[in-house]
Amino acid sequence: MKKLFFLLPLLVLVLGFTTGQIVDDKLKSLLQQFKTDEDAAKTNIFYAVSGPSFYIPNVKVLKALAVGDRVSTIEAMGKNIKEYVTSKEFITKYNQLREDRKPTPPDEPKYSAQLKEEQRTSLKNTIAETEKNKTQMPKENHAMFDEILTMYKQQLAELDDPEKTMFKPEMDEYIKQGYDMQMDDYKNKISEWENEYPANNPKPMIKKWINTFLEKSSDINFDAKLEKDKYGKMKFVDQQYEYKDSQWKLYYRAGKESVTAARSFAQTWLNEL
């Protein structure tokens, strides 16, 4: 299975097409190296933007390109990704995602009268089941069943005893207070959802995706030195970089030219949104 890496959003899919045609032979060749197709590319773009996440199967493919080709390839891919996220297909997927992420309202509460009747039904069923079981047992065990039945029947009688029942009128006030709190929380979440996912408008989601990339790629030290450890594995000479997350390390491996080009495109795009 191919490893999934985090990388710049503009490289997310090595997408050389979004309208059914490949931009040029260079991107076509690159696409073939990544062994992907248009449907998979579009699916992965949507996954990346809605995550947000940053996906590429193998950064070595990018590094194998000449520096000038890396920059031009990134810019071409960025333009095509930018085009796709404004397409009707993408908007349709976005609206479905929007509905999927819509907060769920709390269930209508059960008040004391309903809870009492449910408990009554449960006790009656338990009594009937216990009486049935009693008839299937030896007589020497009947006394034990009689004690259990007496307990259940007492609980059944106490349901309507104002002094002993737990289902009292004041219980409804506590239930209502709890439900009102849940509704207030639900309304707040709906408001947040409407702001984060406006209908037919994925711009806030795209902005979040781009901002996350710009933030994560802002402090890459491309001059950090590597050396082999005693097992032959490449490690950072400066130990602080060993503790960086996988996304930071992938940007480092992608190289300054690639990341700089992606950041430039991303910032320009962000300014337009």
Side-chain angles (χ1 to χ4, degrees), residues 61-127:
V61 174
L62 178 67
K63 290 296 290 286
L65 297 173
V67 172
D69 287 340
R70 290 181 217 165
V71 173
S72 61
T73 298
I74 290 168
E75 291 174 347
M77 290 186 294
K79 290 176 182 177
N80 281 273
I81 293 171
K82 183 179 176 182
E83 177 185 340
Y84 176 60
V85 299
T86 61
S87 69
K88 182 179 179 180
E89 177 182 344
F90 188 90
I91 300 299
T92 298
K93 289 183 178 181
Y94 163 77
N95 283 332
Q96 181 58 57
L97 175 77
R98 177 179 184 270
E99 288 302 311
D100 292 342
R101 293 185 176 177
K102 184 177 182 179
T104 304
D107 294 331
E108 288 286 341
K110 296 178 180 180
Y111 289 98
S112 59
Q114 181 180 355
L115 293 170
K116 182 167 72 172
E117 290 310 309
E118 288 181 355
Q119 180 67 0
R120 191 191 309 279
T121 299
S122 177
L123 283 170
K124 286 182 176 181
N125 290 338
T126 300
I127 289 170

Side-chain angles (χ1 to χ4, degrees), residues 241-257:
Y241 298 124
E242 282 299 313
Y243 297 105
K244 294 290 187 179
D245 61 26
S246 59
Q247 189 172 344
W248 189 98
K249 291 177 180 178
L250 190 62
Y251 293 151
Y252 171 84
R253 292 197 299 274
K256 184 175 182 178
E257 295 82 5

Side-chain angles (χ1 to χ4, degrees), residues 184-201:
D184 288 342
D185 182 60
Y186 168 69
K187 290 175 182 177
N188 289 334
K189 288 180 178 178
I190 283 291
S191 179
E192 293 172 359
W193 169 76
E194 289 174 340
N195 289 330
E196 189 171 358
Y197 299 102
N200 301 309
N201 181 12

Side-chain angles (χ1 to χ4, degrees), residues 48-63:
V49 178
S50 62
S53 64
F54 309 93
Y55 164 88
I56 193 171
N58 194 337
V59 73
K60 291 180 180 179
V61 174
L62 178 67
K63 290 296 290 286

